[in-house]
Amino acid sequence: MNSVPPNPNSNSTVSNGGAAEPSAGSAAAPSPTFSPLYQQIKALITQSLQSGEWKPGELIPSEVELANRFKVSQGTVRKAIDELAAENLVMRKQGKGTFVSTHHEARAHFRFLRLMPDEGVPHYPESKFIEVKRMRAPADVARLLDLKSGDAVIFIKRVQSFDSLPTIVEELWLPGMTFKGLTAERLVEYKGPMYGLFESEFGTRMIRATEKIRAVCAGADDAELLHVPVNTPLLASERVSFTYGDKAVELRRGLYSTERHHYHNELN
Amino acid sequence: MNSVPPNPNSNSTVSNGGAAEPSAGSAAAPSPTFSPLYQQIKALITQSLQSGEWKPGELIPSEVELANRFKVSQGTVRKAIDELAAENLVMRKQGKGTFVSTHHEARAHFRFLRLMPDEGVPHYPESKFIEVKRMRAPADVARLLDLKSGDAVIFIKRVQSFDSLPTIVEELWLPGMTFKGLTAERLVEYKGPMYGLFESEFGTRMIRATEKIRAVCAGADDAELLHVPVNTPLLASERVSFTYGDKAVELRRGLYSTERHHYHNELN
DNA sequence: GAGTGGTCTAGACCACCCG
DNA sequence: GGGTGGTCTAGACCACTCG
């Protein structure tokens, strides 16, 4: 019994401190910056996602294939993919394979849209665009998007309606660099969530976002757009969305009418 | 090579459809209700948590010990504990062991309190209790807490202040059954988050919650309590909190002043 | 039946903590 | 130095999908 091969830590493309030489038992400090193998694999897979080697909606190579490619065991790439799945970058489907997540799916639509109807089933709103223009980033926008004040940004203002009832008025700022060529026409003709368009047309996938929410009173303009009396209380949300590498690529300020809807949240 | 023992699926306390008999290869349908071993282990561990065999803050048995107890491999209990840790029921500490999570820790305090200061570091507010009484559950409260209308509930109203500035006014309803003996005195003298008291004194641990958020205008009473003008816009939150077994054990309705604070959320 | 993800095991070794 | 969680491997088998 117990005659397993010495497990030479399978040298490979990736490693920690030392290059190879796993033989002796007491040499080389345990590497001050220790990073597990599966984290390195995860980073490599993430790179392939970011670079577009595997596009949203597509099937990525199987676990065994990736294990061979990276010269590690299947269990290790498995753990890497587990984390990517937990972060919604990838979706596993037993018997079929692992797919790159996409914002073109019913499942993804309510990951960022948290406004739910008080009654009835959630559904996606229709958009009406009020304004789309290129401009220079104001100081506050520049700061949140990690740009320089005065850098080119695209500004979008729209109203979203559920069952023809205007409920959300939103202003968006996007880095001009990243969204070169985004036009009002393209926005209007596009059906489905805006993040789907960003992903398909500009190769920019929203990964996560942070949101700050307040209560405010409706001003005259917004009251008119939302068909509510002036001074109606509204939810005000400020959202910054991030793509790969924690890069901020969208600032979105929304006003939500909460007459027939509420902001839904799960605390875990 | 390749002379591993036949892996008799190690019969055990737990199992799926068939009792044992893992020998033949083609008998017994693959059990219509298949539940992985690690899920069964997870359920068993959860039972021990719920029953109080291991109390909040305490060390639970080591992975190898649990593996022996349940007659499974360490890897299997590991996967079970992984999920419990992901659900915040348990906390792993390398080199020390696995501990039952508790609401008495700085880490846990902001899991349910999402109101953050616009500037400065988050800290926990001071409470001032306005009212504590036993009453019969109104219909809407009964429905949300899964009680019968008229069942005994405890009603609590309090104001919470950050740096002596009143910011939150909250009304809570708790099932009288679960929180027998909860008094105003006990609440007042207790320092720290209320969920800590619930856990220590009543053996009821809050696991998760759902929240619905709206914008409203301050009425006269609430405006006075929060030191804001009447009709100031406020965030209104309705939270239902759950303990083990998805049992609702708290209804909390809060009004938040968002002059100097905001509701913070992460979208993943 | 072949391929993919999902489960389970057994064993080795590593990083971390503490007495 | 011994215990605990954390990583990694290798291999077997299961559940699911699809042609």
Side-chain angles (χ1 to χ4, degrees):
Chain A
M1 310 294 172
N2 196 359
S3 58
V4 182
N7 175 16
N9 190 19
S10 80
N11 68 4
S12 56
T13 320
V14 291
S15 69
N16 288 322
E21 240 90 69
S23 47
S26 61
S31 111
T33 58
F34 168 69
S35 166
L37 237 194
Y38 77 88
Q39 288 286 4
Q40 304 178 43
I41 303 300
K42 183 185 170 191
L44 290 174
I45 296 177
T46 303
Q47 276 180 32
S48 292
L49 291 172
Q50 181 170 9
S51 75
E53 179 179 341
W54 311 312
K55 297 200 168 20
E58 287 181 7
L59 186 64
I60 78 171
S62 75
E63 294 179 354
V64 285
E65 203 171 328
L66 290 172
N68 292 335
R69 175 190 304 198
F70 297 132
K71 298 277 184 289
V72 299
S73 80
Q74 183 185 354
T76 299
V77 348
R78 184 159 186 76
K79 178 138 191 178
I81 293 181
D82 274 346
E83 292 207 350
L84 293 171
E87 295 168 21
N88 286 308
L89 293 187
V90 113
M91 272 187 39
R92 328 189 70 144
K93 294 187 185 173
Q94 182 171 147
K96 301 179 76 171
T98 302
F99 297 79
V100 183
S101 298
T102 169
H103 282 105
H104 306 273
E105 320 173 14
R107 291 188 65 268
H109 293 176
F110 297 97
R111 207 146 71 79
F112 292 88
L113 175 63
R114 305 296 275 267
L115 205 65
M116 297 292 178
D118 292 338
E119 289 165 15
V121 292
H123 58 286
Y124 217 76
E126 318 95 57
S127 282
K128 182 180 151 207
F129 290 90
I130 308 293
E131 190 176 2
V132 180
K133 67 176 180 187
R134 301 181 63 84
M135 58 181 286
R136 299 193 169 279
D140 60 331
V141 173
R143 185 174 50 80
L144 290 167
L145 289 181
D146 209 18
L147 300 173
K148 281 196 284 293
S149 197
D151 280 359
V153 291
I154 296 168
F155 171 84
I156 299 170
K157 181 164 187 171
R158 66 167 173 175
V159 175
Q160 290 181 281
S161 301
F162 294 92
D163 302 320
S164 301
L165 294 168
T167 307
I168 303 176
V169 45
E170 251 177 4
E171 297 181 337
L172 292 81
W173 286 265
L174 304 165
M177 224 47 170
T178 315
F179 293 92
K180 227 175 292 221
L182 179 59
T183 64
E185 292 68 37
R186 196 69 197 84
L187 283 168
V188 170
E189 75 191 23
Y190 187 83
K191 299 304 172 203
M194 214 183 278
Y195 286 176
L197 182 151
F198 292 169
E199 159 187 309
S200 302
E201 307 279 319
F202 300 93
T204 297
R205 208 189 113 75
M206 303 298 181
I207 302 296
R208 64 174 196 92
T210 69
E211 212 163 28
K212 294 182 179 183
I213 298 172
R214 298 184 152 73
V216 299
C217 278
D221 295 355
D222 296 321
E224 189 180 334
L225 289 171
L226 291 175
H227 298 186
V228 297
V230 173
N231 285 332
T232 300
L234 302 173
L235 278 193
S237 140
E238 177 176 271
R239 181 201 297 178
V240 180
S241 298
F242 300 86
T243 186
Y244 295 101
D246 267 338
K247 191 185 169 214
V249 281
E250 183 199 62
L251 169 62
R252 189 183 284 219
R253 293 196 176 121
L255 295 174
Y256 303 142
S257 164
T258 55
E259 295 292 319
R260 279 171 293 269
H261 295 76
H262 60 269
Y263 184 97
H264 176 84
N265 203 15
E266 302 273 343
L267 310 183
N268 292 312
Chain B
M1 311 294 174
N2 197 357
S3 58
V4 182
N7 176 15
N9 191 19
S10 79
N11 68 5
S12 54
T13 320
V14 292
S15 70
N16 286 321
E21 241 90 72
S23 49
S26 60
S31 105
T33 58
F34 168 69
S35 166
L37 237 193
Y38 76 88
Q39 288 286 3
Q40 305 178 41
I41 303 300
K42 182 184 169 190
L44 290 174
I45 297 177
T46 303
Q47 276 179 33
S48 292
L49 291 172
Q50 180 170 9
S51 74
E53 180 179 341
W54 311 312
K55 298 202 167 21
E58 286 181 7
L59 186 65
I60 77 171
S62 75
E63 293 179 355
V64 285
E65 202 171 328
L66 290 171
N68 292 334
R69 175 190 304 196
F70 297 131
K71 298 277 185 289
V72 299
S73 80
Q74 183 185 355
T76 299
V77 348
R78 183 160 187 75
K79 178 138 190 177
I81 294 181
D82 275 346
E83 292 206 349
L84 293 172
E87 296 168 20
N88 286 309
L89 293 187
V90 114
M91 272 187 39
R92 328 190 69 146
K93 294 187 185 173
Q94 180 172 145
K96 301 179 76 173
T98 301
F99 297 79
V100 184
S101 297
T102 169
H103 283 105
H104 306 274
E105 321 173 12
R107 291 188 64 265
H109 293 175
F110 296 97
R111 208 147 70 80
F112 292 87
L113 175 64
R114 306 295 275 267
L115 204 65
M116 297 291 178
D118 292 339
E119 288 166 15
V121 292
H123 58 285
Y124 217 76
E126 318 96 55
S127 281
K128 182 181 151 206
F129 290 91
I130 308 292
E131 191 176 1
V132 180
K133 67 176 181 187
R134 300 182 64 83
M135 59 182 286
R136 299 193 169 279
D140 60 330
V141 173
R143 185 175 51 79
L144 290 167
L145 290 181
D146 209 19
L147 300 173
K148 281 195 284 292
S149 197
D151 279 359
V153 291
I154 296 167
F155 171 83
I156 299 171
K157 181 164 186 171
R158 66 167 174 175
V159 175
Q160 290 180 280
S161 301
F162 293 92
D163 302 321
S164 302
L165 294 168
T167 308
I168 304 176
V169 45
E170 252 178 3
E171 297 181 336
L172 291 83
W173 287 266
L174 304 164
M177 224 47 170
T178 314
F179 293 92
K180 226 174 292 217
L182 179 57
T183 64
E185 292 68 38
R186 196 71 199 81
L187 283 167
V188 170
E189 75 192 22
Y190 188 83
K191 298 305 172 201
M194 214 183 279
Y195 286 176
L197 183 150
F198 293 170
E199 160 187 308
S200 302
E201 308 278 319
F202 302 93
T204 296
R205 207 189 115 75
M206 303 298 181
I207 302 296
R208 65 174 196 92
T210 70
E211 211 162 29
K212 294 182 178 183
I213 298 171
R214 297 184 152 73
V216 299
C217 279
D221 295 354
D222 296 322
E224 189 180 333
L225 289 171
L226 290 175
H227 297 186
V228 297
V230 173
N231 285 333
T232 300
L234 301 173
L235 280 192
S237 141
E238 178 176 272
R239 180 201 297 178
V240 180
S241 300
F242 300 85
T243 185
Y244 295 101
D246 267 338
K247 191 185 168 214
V249 281
E250 183 199 61
L251 169 61
R252 188 183 285 218
R253 292 197 177 120
L255 294 175
Y256 304 139
S257 164
T258 55
E259 295 293 319
R260 279 172 292 269
H261 296 76
H262 59 268
Y263 184 97
H264 176 83
N265 203 14
E266 301 273 343
L267 309 182
N268 292 310

